[in-house]
């Protein structure tokens, strides 16, 4: 057990119908004028937009709306929204959406206090101040609703980078699982696979952090069980709710407490890929990369890989565990090859170049560009 | 999964040597003069007192010391300390100790803002303001270092009651497992049994809160495994650390999230008993009461009791699970009968009276005074 600090001040307001609490929650935080950031319009179809704006209106909160955040959100849009936030003099930012919307909102919240937002991603500018960030979550996947980080893509050079600061913890996050009932099945699955990959990024580097590993195993088993239940009955609120809460907990610091390191190289490879193919959803990319990455990495920290196979999948060997995971992903209808994602052999070198452009890749072992290509070949 | 709010802003500073961070941590919170509350003096023997006062001194923090908190802490002492806090005009309270010291510190922090502290316990006075509470933990047991509650005993009428308020969350809690290496084995065991009982108070009332139940199971299995490891090697830092982190997480809201109710009647019976016998440590009392209480309650919510037996103890039946738990407690050297605690058959009626004096007892089912007596008879 290594030393750590655990600090997570986000207030999670969880349950059916909690979307209607957004107005009072914003008012309780002392905000008066919010920049409401949203995606492509699905929140108009599932009733969330109407519930949010009505609740804000009743609580006397002024609202400036900003739409158009897409998956793999872009720096350019965040920069535009910073301008709007300044011009409109909002005192807070309300994300109504999933990880892309929340991450954009965090970047806008920080961006109003800096000259050049991208310089923060380049670690040339500390983030010590931000507008308060509020969240109404519409898809459980990223865990961004209860974490202090944000990822943006800088399109010119295909860089998908991240920032993190305690001031970016959302003040509150409303997680109403019932609004996720209308999600396309594909998005539910992609979200769940993303959640598993988040936990595994630290879990597989662990060794003797028994408490944290036990929590991670509990979360992984729960995610798998709940997706299976949801596949049998898309309307199962209990399964949806437990999946949502597990997704939030997967990124809030619990599943990494005391584990000295983490290995986000699978995610970095996925980011490198989706920076080139913005149409690839994170979870879909991870469905292909995660089993390939595990197969390539299984001899590093092998005891932990074996523990994962045994406790999460009831498997006797690591190979059987990976096969069980692939079988689950396929059962859920996730893609299993790069071809399924529309990515061809000729692109592997670009993906590798991109994955390594930020610096060394991996902790279990340092992956070279050649490693990235070799790792991906079996899933072409 | 029922609706819930999860909010826990305590910063946990965890790891070997973190006691020395107390001065900077207090300074970061903007405090200048702390009331340092402590117990009987064991922190002088294990070096914690020296490390704390030195760190505070280096950070320029003024310190007023208040010693003498005992297990099952008393209202009278808290009231005296409120006077000292007012006279000395401290701006914060620093608990250096275990649950009794922390609970006393919380009561002092709230007490400076009310006319009559006990009226808060009687729910006649809301707690909406308190001095900042800081913690240096010396024994993992109560979970009070990351929760918003406190328990005191009012001696005249043998009432052991509680308060709770978000303003009582410690601002930070330093959890340095290495300072617990010198604890008597008995205290380690009592703490661990208390932790198990905390988790079970909500777990056994649960049903379909898969995420929360999986976390609870992970914590319970970890506690059991770590106590066994510590019994084999009292100096095992990893086991000590994982036990400490599990103890903190057991009361921070995670193991109850989404479970509609909880059943603290076993603890209430223990409190009723230790209000009459202040020499009985909470965990020692629970070692006797918990198996008896489970045996009496096992037909209420039986599916959940079965799940507990299977997942925590690998047992085929509830009875086998309870037997496995009793066996573990005995293996660890905990008391197994009321006689071991110095409590005689003639006292059962007083315990029952006391347990029911606050109102109805229990949720799995409402326990009558007769139930309490019947429940305890088999463990006389």
């Amino acid at each position: 057990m290594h030393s750590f600090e655990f600090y997570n001040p986000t207030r999670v307001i969880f349950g059916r119908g909690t979307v209607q609490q957004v107005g009072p929650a914003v008012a309780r935080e002392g905000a008066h004028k919010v920049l409401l950031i949203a995606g492509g319009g699905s929140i108009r179809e599932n009733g969330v937009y109407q519930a949010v704006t009505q609740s804000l209106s009743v609580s006397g909160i002024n609202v400036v709306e900003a739409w158009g955040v897409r998956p793999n959100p872009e720096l350019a849009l965040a920069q535009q929204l910073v301008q709007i936030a300044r011009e409109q003099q909002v005192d807070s930012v309300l994300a109504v959406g999933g990880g892309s919307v929340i991450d954009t909102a965090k970047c806008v919240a920080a961006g109003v206090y800096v000259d050049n937002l991208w310089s923060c991603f380049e670690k040339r500018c500390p983030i010590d101040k931000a507008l308060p960030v509020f969240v109404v979550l519409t898809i459980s996947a990223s865990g961004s609703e209860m974490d202090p980080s944000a990822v943006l893509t800088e399109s010119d050079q295909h860089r998908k980078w991240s920032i993190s600061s305690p001031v970016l913890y959302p003040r509150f996050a409303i997680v109403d699982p019932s609004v996720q009932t209308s999600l396309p099945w594909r998005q539910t699955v992609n979200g769940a696979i993303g959640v598993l990959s988040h936990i595994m990024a630290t879990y597989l580097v662990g060794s003797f952090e028994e408490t944290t590993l036990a929590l991670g195993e509990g979360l992984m088993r729960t995610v798998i069980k709940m997706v299976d239940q949801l596949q049998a009955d898309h309307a199962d609120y209990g399964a949806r709710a437990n999946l949502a809460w597990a997704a939030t907990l997967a990124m809030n610091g619990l599943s990494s407490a005391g584990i000295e390191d983490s290995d986000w190289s699978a995610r970095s490879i996925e980011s490198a890929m989706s920076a080139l193919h913005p149409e690839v959803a994170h979870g879909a990319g991870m469905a292909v990369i995660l089993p390939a990455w595990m197969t390539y990495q299984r001899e590093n920290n092998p005891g932990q890989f074996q523990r994962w196979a045994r406790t999460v999948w009831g498997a006797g060997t690591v190979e059987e565990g990976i096969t069980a995971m692939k079988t689950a992903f396929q059962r859920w209808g996730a893609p299993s090859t790069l071809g399924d994602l529309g990515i061809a052999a000729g692109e592997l070198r670009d993906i590798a170049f991109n994955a390594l452009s930020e610096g060394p890749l991996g902790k279990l072992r340092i992956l070279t560009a050649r490693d990235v290509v070799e790792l991906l070949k079996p899933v072409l």
Side-chain angles (χ1 to χ4, degrees), chain A:
Chain A
M1 199 75 156
H2 291 274
S3 298
F4 63 89
E5 267 197 35
F6 183 89
Y7 171 66
N8 195 319
T10 299
R11 180 188 302 274
V12 178
I13 303 168
F14 189 101
R16 199 196 297 270
T18 50
V19 170
Q20 292 156 22
Q21 296 179 30
V22 65
V26 168
R28 182 166 55 175
E29 295 290 340
H32 300 286
K33 188 173 183 180
V34 301
L35 180 65
L36 187 164
I37 299 183
S42 63
I43 61 169
R44 288 191 198 274
E45 289 154 31
N46 61 12
V48 170
Y49 171 75
Q50 292 80 354
V52 166
T53 49
Q54 191 186 349
S55 176
L56 291 170
S57 169
V58 169
S59 293
I61 309 294
N62 293 308
V63 181
V64 178
E65 296 184 14
W67 294 76
V69 178
R70 287 181 298 188
N72 296 311
E74 298 195 0
L75 173 68
L77 178 61
Q79 286 171 324
Q80 288 169 26
L81 299 186
V82 167
Q83 283 312 315
I84 293 173
R86 286 179 177 146
E87 287 162 17
Q88 297 284 335
Q89 298 188 299
V90 300
D91 58 18
S92 53
V93 182
L94 170 63
V96 184
S100 301
V101 171
I102 301 168
D103 284 10
T104 300
K106 288 175 180 171
C107 292
V108 173
V112 297
Y113 291 108
V114 296
D115 290 333
N116 175 357
L117 179 56
W118 191 250
S119 69
C120 300
F121 287 79
E122 295 171 319
K123 317 298 178 209
R124 291 190 290 111
C125 160
I127 302 165
D128 47 20
K129 206 172 170 193
L131 294 176
V133 176
F134 312 133
V135 171
V136 173
L137 187 70
T138 60
I139 174 167
S140 292
S142 70
S144 188
E145 67 275 15
M146 201 181 184
D147 93 1
S149 304
V151 178
L152 279 188
T153 297
E154 189 278 305
S155 306
D156 290 346
Q157 299 187 47
H158 300 300
R159 293 178 298 186
K160 189 174 173 182
W161 287 7
S162 66
I163 54 174
S164 189
S165 165
V167 299
L168 298 180
Y169 278 111
R171 300 292 180 91
F172 68 79
I174 289 176
V175 182
D176 181 346
S178 69
V179 307
Q180 299 189 36
T181 308
S182 58
L183 280 177
W185 175 243
R186 182 177 44 78
Q187 286 190 31
T188 299
V189 170
N190 288 346
I193 293 170
V195 172
L196 291 174
S197 75
H198 294 155
I199 300 166
M200 287 159 68
T202 44
Y203 179 89
L204 290 172
V205 184
S207 50
F208 52 90
E209 310 80 1
E210 190 61 39
T211 305
T212 301
L213 300 181
L215 296 182
E217 288 157 6
L219 291 175
M220 285 189 274
R221 282 194 299 259
T222 300
V223 167
I224 296 158
K225 195 169 166 182
M226 295 303 107
V227 175
D228 281 336
Q229 282 191 24
L230 274 175
Q231 191 162 29
D233 176 7
H234 286 219
D236 182 338
Y237 174 80
R240 182 73 70 180
N242 278 292
L243 180 59
W245 184 224
T248 297
L249 295 178
M251 282 296 277
N252 80 339
L254 274 181
S255 57
S256 59
I259 300 181
E260 189 181 20
D261 241 322
S262 55
D263 189 325
W264 292 94
S265 56
R267 185 169 78 166
S268 296
I269 296 169
E270 200 290 317
S271 291
M273 196 172 78
S274 60
L276 297 169
H277 285 267
E279 76 284 1
V280 173
H282 173 64
M286 290 309 288
V288 176
I289 290 170
L290 197 56
W293 177 86
M294 289 195 71
T295 303
Y296 201 80
Q297 293 279 26
R298 69 188 186 285
E299 295 305 326
N300 307 304
N301 209 13
Q304 190 64 13
F305 275 68
Q306 281 155 23
R307 180 176 168 148
W308 169 85
R310 187 180 72 248
T311 59
V312 180
W313 300 99
T317 67
V318 178
E319 287 71 16
E320 286 172 20
I322 295 173
T323 300
M325 181 173 73
K326 284 160 80 170
T327 304
F329 290 177
Q330 284 168 20
R331 179 170 74 238
W332 301 340
S336 57
T337 68
L338 293 172
D340 292 343
L341 300 171
I343 291 164
E347 298 180 86
L348 296 193
R349 291 175 73 94
D350 288 342
I351 293 170
F353 173 85
N354 215 348
L356 282 152
S357 63
E358 260 194 278
L361 187 66
K363 289 286 176 187
L364 283 167
R365 74 167 176 198
I366 307 290
L367 297 176
T368 64
R370 186 179 303 275
D371 284 323
V372 175
V373 171
E374 290 304 315
L375 181 162
L376 292 176
K377 271 184 184 169
V379 287
L380 267 171

